Amino acid sequence: MIEPRELLAGILCGGFVAGMLALGDPFRVRLVGAVGIVVAVAGVLCYRHRKIWLESSGTAEALAVVLLLVVPLFGIHSSLGIGSGVGLTLVWLMIGFGGALWGVGCEMAVTDSSG
């Protein structure tokens, strides 16, 4: 069951990112909506399992930061031939998707070990 704080974290994360991206180009409504939903799910799951992140080793934290932040920022760039607004939206989609997958992995590990 989702606790109110987890839900609030997801709504704030997803709403902030979607609102920020929608200001740039309001015509990408479906893409921005999808990004908002993915980031909201990532916010809920990452807030729920924040203790796992705080208790992890330095190597795991560094790897997660590289995968969540560095890869999207360098993987989606202006040489791809897409507009800067769409590129920024895709970067946020990758960051949100990576965070959501991290949270899903934590959820599966916690469920597996407790069941």
Side-chain angles (χ1 to χ4, degrees):
M1 185 75 182
I2 298 176
E3 294 180 13
R5 286 185 179 181
E6 297 167 355
L7 185 60
L8 180 63
I11 290 171
L12 289 176
C13 290
F16 175 76
V17 171
M20 179 186 66
L21 294 173
L23 290 176
D25 185 3
F27 299 109
R28 299 185 315 258
V29 175
R30 290 189 302 185
L31 181 58
V32 168
V35 171
I37 291 169
V38 167
V39 172
V41 169
V44 167
L45 292 173
C46 289
Y47 186 80
R48 176 181 287 184
H49 300 293
R50 65 191 178 278
K51 290 181 183 177
I52 294 173
W53 181 272
L54 295 173
E55 294 171 357
S56 63
S57 69
T59 306
E61 290 173 352
L63 183 59
V65 168
V66 168
L67 289 174
L68 290 175
L69 298 177
V70 176
V71 170
L73 290 174
F74 287 103
I76 300 174
H77 48 79
S78 59
S79 300
L80 293 175
I82 56 177
S84 61
V86 174
L88 180 63
T89 306
L90 292 176
V91 165
W92 274 106
L93 182 63
M94 286 185 68
I95 290 170
F97 193 67
L101 285 178
W102 178 84
V104 167
C106 290
E107 190 75 23
M108 291 170 63
V110 168
T111 303
D112 186 41
S113 65
S114 65

